[in-house]
């Protein structure tokens, strides 16, 4: 079953979308996972309230697969993997609420394909996208019991207030809503905007991968430089190797690469820090002992007990001590003799984050994290720091979000969070194994990790070189594998216009869009903006940890839906 599309309007034509005067009108701008979660929560609330109010819901989502969006599009290659274990993926906040069949991802896979899956494994993003799109279609059908539901496959360029309603504008139509929620995520595939005055070589955007990284765009045997050394770098590198019929095989404890001849001659990543993302353990290969649960619970309780706002988060703070003490306690669980202290953990972090990392050090860190993550080597301090951050993160999100951190502490916090992103939320161990195989095969070259590209005016237009003070290499193609920051709003998107108009504002210190616990933007006078909610990535800082599929880490969709259902009920009673 596919959700019906809105009536098509020729590009360039504009129309005003009209609803019945008595209808309560809801608009959902952006329907990736977060938009899906809002719709699903709204469906539950309408069912609870037994609402019979005349209601219309318009969904604005330009991608082909609502619920999945661009990031989880089912049409992308299957070698692009999640870094979120299959067992944690569940689109339903309350699986038994409506009596409908609501399966988590693992259960859905078994029903759909009749095959069991490792719940601790990391599935292809495309398969997760199939699941999310299927959940969207179920939710769409549920909502049709209560409302007139319409999907518009177009982007929203502007949102304005008109009297007590919100006006949405696209290149095709204009419509008014009593309640509007913006869940625009990455706001489409785009590269970060250059800093003022910055000039750079011509970069190919990493996404969409099939189109941008094809053999027509990047020819076999060319030398490719990749800006970025994180998860997207791995996606790009896989696209240029296994995506071109190269093969990875496991030999003993390691991966080995068999080239196809269609890959680049050399792939050169470069970044500001040179620090890698460490492998995320597969708990089937490296299970966490149950004894660690008590350590994590104590750590979360200690963070929850911190007085708000948190006035310090530097290395001398109580916040940081909780983290390092938890990491020390965990790594000591695996040791018979030598004893690790929180000071040892702090010293490890200082060494990790100091200056730029040399290529040999970066490679050694990757190799060690791969061995630990696959159970081939005893857990070390790096693993313990990542495990502590992952397991204490729900409490950190609770305490730091919504102004829980003093404004002058955000610079320190962002530094810590950026490093912990590399340590705790890295790629699946298998993908680190694949990168190591490509390094061993001489295809990935780490020698220029912290170098900068230079325009090469002596060669054809658009080419450049990269050097490290010893060697210089000519580069044929440059790929940008750095996604825009959540703080970098799309200049042609609705959030940018609302910010310029002063309708919404940034939270001082974190600079994320300031919202309350329902996703309502907060004004300079501290009042919530009625009828408008912003949920997801653009609020990062005000709300921590938005780049996740978890339905347990945040509850804004449920809160928003409950508030909207109450409004609908109140209007019905006042008529």
């Amino acid at each position: 079953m596919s959700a019906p599309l809105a009536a098509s309007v020729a590009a360039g034509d504009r129309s005003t979308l009209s609803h019945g005067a008595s209808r309560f009108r809801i608009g959902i701008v952006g329907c990736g996972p977060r938009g899906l979660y809002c719709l699903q929560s709204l469906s539950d609330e309408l069912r609870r309230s037994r609402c019979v109010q005349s209601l219309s819901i318009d969904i604005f989502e330009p991608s082909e697969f609502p619920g999945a969006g661009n990031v989880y599009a089912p049409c992308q290659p299957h070698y692009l993997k999640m870094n979120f274990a299959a067992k944690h993926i569940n689109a339903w906040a309350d699986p038994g609420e409506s009596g409908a069949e609501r399966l988590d991802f693992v259960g859905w896979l078994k029903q759909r394909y009749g095959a069991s899956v490792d719940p601790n494994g990391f599935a292809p993003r495309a398969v997760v996208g199939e699941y999310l799109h299927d959940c969207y279609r179920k939710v769409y059908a549920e909502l049709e019991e209560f409302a007139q539901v319409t999907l518009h496959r177009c982007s929203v360029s502007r949102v304005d207030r008109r009297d007590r309603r919100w006006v949405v504008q696209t290149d095709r139509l204009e419509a008014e809503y009593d309640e509007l929620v913006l869940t625009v995520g990455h706001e489409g595939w785009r590269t970060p905007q250059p800093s003022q005055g910055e000039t750079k070589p011509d970069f190919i955007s990493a996404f969409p991968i099939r189109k941008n990284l094809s053999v027509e765009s990047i020819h076999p045997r060319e030398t490719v430089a990749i800006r970025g050394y994180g998860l997207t770098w791995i996606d790009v590198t896989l696209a240029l190797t296994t995506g071109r019929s190269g093969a990875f095989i496991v030999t003993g404890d390691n991966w080995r690469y068999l080239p196809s001849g269609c890959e680049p001659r050399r792939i050169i990543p470069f970044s500001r820090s040179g620090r890698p993302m460490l492998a995320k353990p597969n708990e089937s290969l490296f299970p966490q002992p149950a004894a660690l649960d008590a350590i994590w619970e104590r750590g979360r309780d200690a963070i929850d007990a911190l007085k708000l706002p948190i006035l310090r988060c530097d290395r001398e703070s109580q916040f940081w001590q909780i983290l390092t003490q938890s990491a020390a306690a965990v790594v000591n669980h695996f040791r018979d003799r030598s004893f690790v202290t929180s000071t040892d953990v702090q010293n490890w972090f200082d060494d990790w984050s100091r200056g730029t990392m040399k290529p040999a050090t970066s490679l050694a860190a990757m190799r060690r994290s791969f061995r630990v993550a696959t159970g081939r080597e005893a857990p070390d301090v790096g693993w313990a720091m990542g495990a502590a951050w992952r397991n204490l993160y729900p409490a950190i999100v609770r305490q730091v979000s919504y102004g829980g951190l003093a404004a002058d502490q955000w610079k320190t916090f962002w530094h810590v969070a950026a490093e912990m992103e590399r340590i705790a939320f890295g790629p699946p161990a298998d993908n680190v194994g694949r990168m190591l195989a490509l390094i061993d095969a001489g295809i990935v070259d780490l020698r220029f990790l912290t170098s900068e590209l230079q325009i090469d005016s002596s060669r054809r237009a658009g080419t450049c070189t990269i050097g490290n003070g010893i060697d210089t290499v000519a580069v044929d193609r440059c790929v940008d594998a750095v996604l825009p920051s959540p703080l970098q709003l799309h200049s042609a998107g609705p959030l940018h216009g609302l910010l310029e108009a002063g309708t919404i504002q940034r939270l001082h210190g974190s600079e994320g869009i300031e919202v309350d616990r329902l996703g309502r933007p907060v004004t300079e006078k501290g009042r919530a903006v009625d009828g408008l909610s912003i949920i997801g990535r653009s609020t990062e800082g005000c709300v921590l940890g938005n780049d996740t599929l978890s339905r347990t880490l945040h509850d804004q969709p449920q809160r928003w839906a409950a508030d909207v259902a109450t409004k609908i009920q109140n209007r019905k009673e006042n008529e």
Side-chain angles (χ1 to χ4, degrees):
M1 178 189 73
S2 295
L5 298 180
S8 60
V9 180
D13 292 347
R14 290 187 60 81
S15 63
T16 299
L17 194 61
S18 177
H19 305 83
S22 63
R23 285 186 180 273
F24 189 97
R25 291 161 286 186
I26 300 173
I28 307 288
V29 178
C31 195
R34 203 74 70 198
L36 165 63
Y37 297 169
C38 288
L39 288 169
Q40 188 265 308
S41 296
L42 181 62
S43 176
D44 283 355
E45 291 295 338
L46 294 176
R47 189 176 300 277
R48 284 192 196 101
S49 64
R50 301 182 181 278
C51 177
V52 294
Q53 170 75 28
S54 183
L55 176 65
S56 66
I57 302 171
D58 286 343
I59 303 164
F60 295 87
E61 173 52 53
S63 72
E64 187 178 351
F65 301 98
N70 287 324
V71 174
Y72 301 99
C75 58
Q76 64 189 301
H78 279 214
Y79 55 74
L80 302 180
K81 296 290 186 72
M82 300 290 298
N83 71 332
F84 193 54
K87 65 183 179 183
H88 298 309
I89 300 172
N90 189 348
W92 309 98
D94 192 343
E97 180 64 31
S98 70
E101 186 179 46
R102 295 179 165 190
L103 299 173
D104 62 12
F105 177 60
V106 173
W108 177 87
L109 271 174
K110 187 172 183 180
Q111 182 189 77
R112 174 63 63 93
Y113 294 107
S116 58
V117 63
D118 178 7
N120 295 310
F122 301 94
R125 290 205 296 266
V127 178
V128 174
E130 285 185 57
Y131 166 71
L132 293 170
H133 184 55
D134 192 52
C135 292
Y136 163 82
R137 290 186 292 181
K138 285 184 171 67
V139 170
Y140 194 105
E142 288 180 11
L143 286 169
E144 284 188 306
E145 297 178 28
F146 310 101
Q148 174 186 310
V149 189
T150 310
L151 170 65
H152 304 272
R153 286 219 164 99
C154 56
S155 297
V156 170
S157 57
R158 188 170 181 84
V159 169
D160 294 293
R161 191 158 198 166
R162 181 180 297 164
D163 297 325
R164 301 181 66 179
R165 294 193 177 95
W166 294 94
V167 181
V168 165
Q169 294 181 6
T170 77
D171 62 347
R172 303 177 184 181
L173 58 85
E174 178 180 292
E176 293 185 3
Y177 297 96
D178 300 286
E179 188 70 38
L180 185 67
V181 60
L182 306 179
T183 59
V184 292
H186 289 81
E187 296 191 277
W189 294 130
R190 56 197 173 100
T191 56
Q193 300 167 1
S195 303
Q196 189 172 7
E198 179 186 354
T199 59
K200 62 179 184 180
D202 293 333
F203 278 96
I204 300 168
S205 179
F207 298 105
I209 272 182
R210 285 194 192 276
K211 175 184 176 183
N212 290 5
L213 305 183
S214 67
V215 292
E216 290 77 24
S217 178
I218 297 176
H219 302 151
R221 310 306 297 161
E222 289 188 319
T223 295
V224 180
I226 303 177
R227 176 177 176 253
Y229 192 40
L231 296 175
T232 306
W233 163 66
I234 293 176
D235 287 348
V236 171
T237 302
L238 289 173
L240 296 174
T241 53
T242 191
R244 296 186 174 195
S245 300
F248 290 95
I249 61 173
V250 178
T251 57
D253 288 345
N254 298 303
W255 289 81
R256 187 160 66 91
Y257 182 66
L258 304 178
S260 67
C262 292
E263 55 273 294
R265 175 185 294 107
R266 185 178 299 177
I267 297 172
I268 302 173
F270 66 98
S271 70
R272 285 179 295 182
S273 73
R275 289 189 281 279
M277 298 199 85
L278 302 184
K280 181 177 278 190
N282 179 325
E283 292 185 21
S284 292
L285 300 174
F286 174 32
Q288 272 199 59
L292 303 189
D293 293 343
I295 297 173
W296 304 138
E297 187 167 356
R298 284 198 302 271
R300 288 190 292 266
D301 288 346
I303 288 174
D304 281 331
L306 291 174
K307 184 179 179 181
L308 299 181
I310 298 171
L311 299 177
R312 291 180 63 186
C313 62
D314 58 18
R315 61 179 297 167
E316 305 300 327
S317 67
Q318 190 178 358
F319 171 85
W320 189 244
Q321 289 299 313
I322 294 168
L323 183 66
T324 56
Q325 288 168 7
S326 297
V330 166
V331 78
N332 285 328
H333 178 82
F334 296 94
R335 297 198 170 204
D336 295 328
R337 298 178 182 176
S338 58
F339 186 75
V340 171
T341 68
S342 61
T343 300
D344 295 327
V345 175
Q346 176 64 61
N347 291 339
W348 181 92
F349 185 80
D350 289 344
D351 288 341
W352 166 273
S353 57
R354 186 181 293 114
T356 56
M357 187 173 283
K358 293 180 179 179
T361 306
S362 179
L363 177 57
M366 289 174 65
R367 289 195 191 282
R368 184 168 179 83
S369 77
F370 172 71
R371 293 194 298 270
V372 172
T374 52
R376 295 176 170 94
E377 193 165 312
D380 61 355
V381 173
W383 168 84
M385 279 291 280
W389 189 260
R390 284 192 299 271
N391 284 279
L392 272 56
Y393 199 61
I396 295 171
V397 168
R398 286 192 294 270
Q399 291 295 81
V400 170
S401 297
Y402 306 109
L405 184 66
D408 64 357
Q409 291 297 297
W410 272 102
K411 183 177 180 180
T412 300
F413 183 82
W414 281 137
H415 168 71
V416 171
E419 296 306 328
M420 296 310 301
E421 186 84 13
R422 297 184 178 103
I423 295 166
F425 297 134
D430 282 358
N431 272 353
V432 174
R434 291 181 175 95
M435 295 304 102
L436 293 172
L438 291 169
I439 293 167
D440 292 339
I443 294 173
V444 168
D445 186 347
L446 299 186
R447 291 179 299 154
F448 307 94
L449 266 183
T450 57
S451 303
E452 293 185 4
L453 290 172
Q454 302 293 329
I455 300 285
D456 184 4
S457 56
S458 66
R459 302 176 71 222
R460 60 183 170 79
T463 59
C464 52
T465 62
I466 191 166
N468 60 9
I470 299 174
D471 297 312
T472 299
V473 173
V475 173
D476 299 300
R477 294 286 186 272
C478 308
V479 178
D480 200 332
V482 178
L483 299 181
S485 159
L487 307 182
Q488 201 171 49
L489 304 180
H490 198 315
S491 59
L495 292 173
H496 186 270
L498 288 168
L499 189 63
E500 282 200 327
T503 307
I504 62 178
Q505 65 173 0
R506 296 187 184 275
L507 177 66
H508 178 55
S510 86
E511 302 308 315
I513 301 301
E514 186 174 7
V515 295
D516 67 11
R517 294 180 185 274
L518 279 70
R520 307 287 188 201
V522 177
T523 67
E524 289 183 2
K525 295 181 179 179
R527 297 174 182 170
V529 177
D530 186 49
L532 178 68
S533 287
I534 302 171
I535 297 175
R537 197 169 185 264
S538 59
T539 68
E540 189 66 37
C542 178
V543 181
L544 201 62
N546 288 292
D547 278 339
T548 178
L549 286 182
S550 171
R551 291 235 51 184
T552 60
L553 195 59
H554 306 101
D555 63 357
Q556 296 100 327
Q558 296 94 301
R559 289 174 178 268
W560 169 81
D563 186 60
V564 172
T566 299
K567 282 187 176 182
I568 295 170
Q569 194 65 32
N570 289 343
R571 175 181 287 195
K572 174 188 173 184
E573 292 172 356
N574 292 331
E575 285 181 349

